[in-house]
Amino acid sequence: MTDIESYTDDDFELYDIFKDPILFSCWSEEVRNDLELCKIEVKKDSKNFQLCSDELRNNIEFCKFAISKHPDNFQYCSDEVKDNLEICKCVIENDPSMFEFCSERFRNDLEFCKIVVRKRSRNFQDCSDELRNNLEFCKFVVENYPNNPQYCWEDYKNNFQLCSDELRNNIEFCKFAISKHPDNFQYCSDEVKDNLEICKCVIENDPSMFEFCSERFRNDLEFCKFAVEKELTNFDICSDRVSHSVEFCKFVIGKNLDNFYSCSDRAKNILQICTYNVGQEVDDNMLRTKSKGKFSSFFEKFSFM
């Protein structure tokens, strides 16, 4: 072990290093394998850790020291150190983003991954493919979002998107994910988006999800009526075949006269639709006139007051 006090000015390499830490990167492997010297250099500038010898970056105690100065140093540790449970737990406690540098063993460990995902939702993307196809683990990720204030919705919804294709095609799992947040519906498989029960359920809770339903539903007259009844703006998402139909246009205009202006040019040129729209406006104006008449008669009775 080198005693720093024993170095003299004649040891020019070391002398220069002490004067200017940046020079640390220029010197020999032997110097960068000196434990005491490297501790000093890492203490001066934590970035120097990555320039230390392979041997030191495989030294458990030295790695602990370097990580304590800056968790980011973990990524430059040896594969053996990255497979050390104590060190991995410690570094994730201080900086959860370092999970991506843990060994494959830990990124495939169910219980360990639950810990790191609790710490940082985005860590789910660095879990193994096997775990992202694990129903238990994926339910855990989806279920724990609402109770964890550290989670950000952008990260969370990406997590469902990162579940395996197999799980995003699993009807029961998709129902579960949608029940936690309807926005997850957009990341379900095409087969799930063509499931009548699921589509009705998601539109019931969030009508804006209609745009992600399969083409079959956006081309279905009765289903489009259901979607528009929940949210009038869904009118624009229906297929041309539906939006041009007389029956559908009458239905939409019946909900709100202003919807006539949203009808396609083709629909506006259909006599039955125009006639129906005019009729509705006449009826609406008559109702307003009658209402005004009733109130006028009411106030006339008390005109002597």
Side-chain angles (χ1 to χ4, degrees):
M1 192 70 64
T2 306
D3 181 1
I4 298 297
E5 301 294 331
S6 69
Y7 288 121
T8 67
D9 290 354
D10 294 332
D11 300 311
F12 66 92
E13 285 190 1
L14 298 174
Y15 179 71
D16 285 344
I17 291 169
F18 295 145
K19 286 173 63 180
D20 187 355
I22 295 175
L23 293 176
F24 183 65
S25 62
C26 304
W27 303 120
S28 66
E29 180 79 9
E30 182 180 356
V31 173
R32 288 184 284 113
N33 194 41
D34 187 296
L35 179 61
E36 294 303 320
L37 172 62
C38 287
K39 277 190 174 182
I40 290 173
E41 291 309 306
V42 169
K43 193 171 183 178
K44 288 178 181 175
D45 185 350
S46 64
K47 292 178 182 176
N48 282 332
F49 175 71
Q50 61 188 291
L51 300 170
C52 296
S53 68
D54 293 344
E55 183 179 335
L56 283 182
R57 287 185 291 110
N58 193 44
N59 180 309
I60 296 290
E61 294 308 314
F62 180 61
C63 286
K64 283 182 180 178
F65 170 81
I67 292 168
S68 71
K69 298 303 174 187
H70 201 295
D72 198 55
N73 282 327
F74 176 68
Q75 63 185 297
Y76 304 111
C77 295
S78 68
D79 290 342
E80 186 176 332
V81 173
K82 290 174 182 175
D83 197 51
N84 181 290
L85 179 60
E86 180 189 356
I87 287 185
C88 287
K89 278 189 171 182
C90 179
V91 74
I92 287 168
E93 193 66 43
N94 290 286
D95 185 354
S97 69
M98 289 295 104
F99 173 62
E100 66 174 299
F101 301 107
C102 290
S103 69
E104 186 176 349
R105 177 168 73 97
F106 292 127
R107 288 185 289 110
N108 195 42
D109 184 287
L110 178 61
E111 295 308 316
F112 189 79
C113 286
K114 282 184 177 180
I115 292 171
V116 298
V117 170
R118 277 198 193 103
K119 294 285 182 185
R120 179 176 180 259
S121 174
R122 196 175 296 181
N123 281 333
F124 181 66
Q125 67 185 348
D126 296 309
C127 295
S128 68
D129 291 343
E130 184 178 336
L131 280 183
R132 287 190 282 117
N133 191 42
N134 181 299
L135 182 60
E136 177 195 346
F137 181 57
C138 289
K139 274 194 168 184
F140 167 83
V141 172
V142 171
E143 187 168 34
N144 279 272
Y145 162 71
N147 302 318
N148 194 331
Q150 294 180 345
Y151 280 8
C152 147
W153 167 237
E154 287 303 314
D155 293 343
Y156 171 70
K157 71 177 182 181
N158 287 336
N159 282 344
F160 179 71
Q161 185 180 7
L162 291 168
C163 291
S164 68
D165 292 345
E166 183 180 335
L167 284 181
R168 287 184 294 110
N169 194 44
N170 180 310
I171 297 291
E172 294 309 314
F173 179 63
C174 287
K175 283 181 180 179
F176 175 79
I178 292 166
S179 72
K180 295 301 175 183
H181 203 295
D183 201 54
N184 281 326
F185 175 69
Q186 64 184 296
Y187 302 112
C188 294
S189 69
D190 290 341
E191 186 176 331
V192 172
K193 291 174 182 175
D194 196 51
N195 181 289
L196 179 60
E197 180 189 354
I198 288 184
C199 287
K200 277 196 168 183
C201 179
V202 75
I203 289 173
E204 195 72 49
N205 290 284
D206 185 352
S208 68
M209 289 295 105
F210 177 55
E211 67 174 303
F212 300 106
C213 290
S214 69
E215 188 177 351
R216 177 169 74 98
F217 293 126
R218 288 183 285 112
N219 198 39
D220 182 283
L221 178 62
E222 294 306 317
F223 193 85
C224 285
K225 284 182 178 181
F226 167 74
V228 169
E229 196 160 24
K230 295 296 178 184
E231 176 58 63
L232 284 170
T233 56
N234 282 332
F235 175 72
D236 298 326
I237 300 167
C238 300
S239 69
D240 289 345
R241 188 186 75 83
V242 172
S243 60
H244 291 159
S245 74
V246 174
E247 181 182 347
F248 184 65
C249 288
K250 283 183 175 182
F251 171 81
V252 171
I253 293 168
K255 293 293 177 184
N256 189 326
L257 289 174
D258 290 338
N259 287 333
F260 175 73
Y261 302 105
S262 299
C263 292
S264 65
D265 290 340
R266 179 179 167 185
K268 289 174 184 174
N269 282 325
I270 298 174
L271 182 60
Q272 287 174 278
I273 294 175
C274 292
T275 305
Y276 179 79
N277 181 59
V278 171
Q280 290 294 105
E281 288 186 347
V282 169
D283 290 345
D284 187 55
N285 288 331
M286 286 179 68
L287 283 172
R288 289 177 184 174
T289 303
K290 286 180 180 178
S291 296
K292 287 179 181 177
K294 286 178 181 177
F295 281 106
S296 297
S297 301
F298 176 79
F299 285 112
E300 280 174 6
K301 291 180 182 180
F302 298 94
S303 58
F304 61 90
M305 293 178 68

